Amino acid sequence: DADVTQTPRNRITKTGKRIMLECSQTKGHDRMYWYRQDPGLGLRLIYYSFDVKDINKGEISDGYSVSRQAQAKFSLSLESAIPNQTALYFCATSEYSGTSGLKPSNEQFFGPGTRLTVL
Amino acid sequence: AQSVTQLGSHVSVSEGALVLLRCNYSSSVPPYLFWYVQYPNQGLQLLLKYTSAATLVKGINGFEAEFKKSETSFHLTKPSAHMSDAAEYFCAVDSGGYQKVTFGTGTKLQVIP
């Protein structure tokens, strides 16, 4: 089974609709991220969460909101979708050493992506 | 502030030829550097990472990268390209290891038979 899952994998919606993209992970990681990928622009960070009570804006958070329902779940919402939010969206997780003293790997683990089209 | 520049959005090589994908970074503190690969219709997966240990880093599938502080570069190489290497490659930087990563714009590698 995949460690990081995203639902839905594909979604077509209309301008003005509210959309929620969901991410779940079984890796036990504290840190979760939402990115969008656009051709020629690479991945850009939308929001990130270092634990359930810590949520931060990334470089392109306008028009988006997030919810960290549990350590394993991190949802991204588009309150009123617009066509320029058409993109490929990725969720990612990473490990935090916390007080364990272990050095984190810093590697991010990605879900398979959600392709969102806003008409 | 941190940033990454990948030179060349598309690179074509012949099967068996050297692969060289270029990455330059900017970071005000010692960086963690990564190369990720994205195969068609998939998420990104880690190819290799530099975390201040050896400057020559070996990754999966025969890829390696060398950290050169004086040149602020972290170029990705592979001696002999395979058809299966066709993918998009992303360089990324994490200044200070805080796990807030900035990605480059990506380089699509085409391998010609």
Side-chain angles (χ1 to χ4, degrees):
Chain A
D1 289 338
D3 296 317
V4 184
T5 57
Q6 293 183 234
T7 56
R9 293 293 313 278
N10 288 281
R11 181 72 185 268
I12 299 174
T13 190
K14 295 182 179 180
T15 297
K17 294 291 187 180
R18 184 178 188 274
I19 296 296
M20 180 180 285
L21 309 183
E22 299 187 342
C23 176
S24 295
Q25 53 113 346
T26 58
K27 300 189 74 66
H29 289 170
D30 289 318
R31 301 186 167 192
M32 298 186 73
Y33 310 80
W34 275 105
Y35 295 92
R36 66 175 279 175
Q37 183 180 18
D38 298 276
L41 297 179
L43 273 75
R44 292 179 291 166
L45 183 63
I46 305 172
Y47 271 95
Y48 61 103
S49 171
F50 281 179
D51 67 39
V52 174
K53 297 179 182 179
D54 179 52
I55 293 178
N56 305 279
K57 293 182 178 181
E59 61 180 297
I60 54 162
S61 59
D62 287 349
Y64 301 94
S65 62
V66 291
S67 173
R68 186 83 183 265
Q69 300 95 324
Q71 185 198 40
K73 296 184 182 296
F74 192 36
S75 300
L76 176 72
S77 294
L78 288 67
E79 296 301 326
S80 179
I82 57 177
N84 78 358
Q85 291 178 313
T86 293
L88 190 53
Y89 289 84
F90 286 103
C91 174
T93 72
S94 67
E95 182 182 25
Y96 175 60
S97 65
T99 57
S100 71
L102 296 173
K103 187 173 183 179
S105 70
N106 295 87
E107 175 184 358
Q108 294 193 8
F109 295 84
F110 286 80
T114 294
R115 186 168 295 281
L116 177 66
T117 302
V118 183
L119 301 176
Chain B
Q2 60 185 31
S3 65
V4 167
T5 301
Q6 290 185 242
L7 296 176
S9 58
H10 290 82
V11 170
S12 293
V13 300
S14 298
E15 191 174 15
L18 171 72
V19 176
L20 171 61
L21 304 183
R22 299 179 186 274
C23 173
N24 288 88
Y25 70 91
S26 173
S27 175
S28 56
V29 297
Y32 288 61
L33 294 162
F34 307 85
W35 276 100
Y36 285 86
V37 60
Q38 183 182 30
Y39 298 105
N41 300 314
Q42 295 186 26
L44 280 70
Q45 62 184 82
L46 185 70
L47 206 51
L48 51 80
K49 63 184 177 185
Y50 167 77
T51 57
S52 76
T55 57
L56 182 62
V57 181
K58 294 186 183 299
I60 61 172
N61 301 335
F63 284 93
E64 61 181 37
E66 186 172 8
F67 173 70
K68 292 187 176 181
K69 184 178 179 181
S70 61
E71 299 177 8
T72 60
S73 68
F74 191 56
H75 302 329
L76 181 70
T77 61
K78 182 174 180 178
S80 177
H82 294 170
M83 295 300 295
S84 61
D85 294 328
E88 190 161 18
Y89 293 80
F90 293 91
C91 184
V93 62
D94 175 4
S95 294
Y98 293 109
Q99 300 185 343
K100 185 166 169 283
V101 175
T102 298
F103 287 84
T105 53
T107 298
K108 284 188 176 177
L109 177 66
Q110 180 186 24
V111 181
I112 303 168

